[in-house]
Amino acid sequence: MTRARFTPPLKERGAALLSVLLLVAVMAVIAAMMLDRVSIATRLAANGQAMTQARLIAYAAETVAIEQVKELVEADAARTVDNAGLLTREFTLPFDNGTATARMQDAGNCFNVNSVVAGQDGQYSLRPLGRQQFIGLALTLEISEGEAGAMADALVDWIDSDQMPQPNGAEDQHYRGLETPYATADKPVADITELRALRHMTADHYDRLRPWLCALPTTDLSPLNVNTLRVDQARLLTMLNPAMISIDRARSVLAARPAMGWSSTVDFWRPFAAQGQILGPEIEQQVQLKSRWFLLAMRIRSGSAELEERALIDAQLTPARLVHRSWGEDI
């Protein structure tokens, strides 16, 4: 007996084919999504591994840098002199699957923005000399005295402990009235980028000032070591008193530095005293012969990862050690 063969109508055969095609399309989309997610996960894992390796290299470089700083400051108990060029060269450190470049610098040879106030433990108030030195630095960068004074007032108010604004400054009342409100820190600046939030601080002013500023974890006046201060950093001497120390004069004094550095600050100030230029004990004692702060700046490329780090080392501690670390682009 022959079984009858069932043949579905033409419309039903078309619907079945369409269902199969739709199912294949859905499966293809799901497969593509899964493959894309696997690809992303693989890349993330590789990037994470590369970043981990970069950080480990950075930690190792910090250890080496601390040892180098220790050798530099212990070479002479009375003064820090960079005859080996540790503070003027860029070092390249090759390693598997990448490279690291590092530069060490005397982190005290800058204007310490926290020196515009005096005090500690949450009780900070205006230090007139620190404020005046900020203005002095700005003047060397062709910023008008009025604009510099306004920025200095805003900087003091950002750090000091009260809510009474300086003549051209700004406290919380001003900042909370902005479209995006915020408040003053009421404590020392931790990172120079904070200054971008100050009243009167334009992008142009920030760009001019930024290379000469630092935020040391102290409110001491900028501890300029004249034995490591470079000739191209002469404006940092000028900022101490622009009326008495021109940039040209500062350059000539630094260019005449003895090969082993000055052995006393009296020797350094002698050319000024010979011309009757007396800057006062506070400024004269501000100049140093020995360095305390050192900054290690690194850029590490490991596989697909790129990492930038800045590490602040305190050589006055025993043993010398890292006291602050920041990651990311220095802006």
Side-chain angles (χ1 to χ4, degrees), residues 89-154:
R89 297 199 313 266
E90 184 173 84
F91 300 89
T92 300
L93 311 171
F95 58 91
D96 292 342
N97 199 33
T99 58
T101 56
R103 180 183 293 276
M104 186 85 72
Q105 65 188 60
D106 190 323
N109 290 341
C110 53
F111 175 77
N112 178 22
V113 296
N114 292 319
S115 68
V116 298
V117 300
Q120 57 184 354
D121 300 329
Q123 297 298 320
Y124 302 104
S125 58
L126 167 67
R127 175 188 270 126
L129 182 55
R131 176 185 179 277
Q132 190 57 45
Q133 290 181 0
F134 176 89
I135 295 173
L137 174 63
L139 290 176
T140 72
L141 297 168
E142 299 182 353
I143 297 173
S144 73
E145 187 169 5
E147 292 173 315
M151 286 187 288
D153 284 349

Side-chain angles (χ1 to χ4, degrees), residues 84-271:
L86 176 65
L87 306 179
T88 57
R89 297 199 313 266
E90 184 173 84
F91 300 89
T92 300
L93 311 171
F95 58 91
D96 292 342
N97 199 33
T99 58
T101 56
R103 180 183 293 276
M104 186 85 72
Q105 65 188 60
D106 190 323
N109 290 341
C110 53
F111 175 77
N112 178 22
V113 296
N114 292 319
S115 68
V116 298
V117 300
Q120 57 184 354
D121 300 329
Q123 297 298 320
Y124 302 104
S125 58
L126 167 67
R127 175 188 270 126
L129 182 55
R131 176 185 179 277
Q132 190 57 45
Q133 290 181 0
F134 176 89
I135 295 173
L137 174 63
L139 290 176
T140 72
L141 297 168
E142 299 182 353
I143 297 173
S144 73
E145 187 169 5
E147 292 173 315
M151 286 187 288
D153 284 349
L155 178 57
V156 172
D157 285 334
W158 186 262
I159 303 172
D160 68 15
S161 304
D162 61 50
Q163 285 297 313
M164 295 180 292
Q166 298 293 317
N168 293 294
E171 292 285 2
D172 288 355
Q173 183 177 5
H174 168 78
Y175 296 114
R176 284 176 175 162
L178 300 178
E179 183 177 350
T180 302
Y182 52 93
T184 58
D186 291 338
K187 62 181 180 180
V189 172
D191 191 279
I192 288 299
T193 55
E194 290 182 41
L195 271 63
R196 300 170 72 183
L198 294 181
R199 182 186 183 189
H200 308 302
M201 181 64 72
T202 67
D204 176 62
H205 290 158
Y206 180 82
D207 289 342
R208 293 194 209 182
L209 289 163
R210 176 64 187 92
W212 305 96
L213 305 180
C214 58
L216 298 178
T218 173
T219 58
D220 294 341
L221 291 171
S222 307
L224 304 180
N225 180 359
V226 291
N227 283 332
T228 59
L229 196 66
R230 303 189 309 270
V231 174
D232 63 323
Q233 294 176 311
R235 71 178 70 249
L236 294 172
L237 281 179
T238 299
M239 79 177 183
L240 301 179
N241 190 321
M244 289 191 180
I245 309 175
S246 68
I247 291 183
D248 289 340
R249 180 76 187 286
R251 286 177 183 143
S252 66
V253 170
L254 291 174
R257 178 170 51 209
M260 293 304 297
W262 283 284
S263 58
S264 73
T265 55
V266 173
D267 291 339
F268 170 77
W269 288 116
R270 185 168 285 115

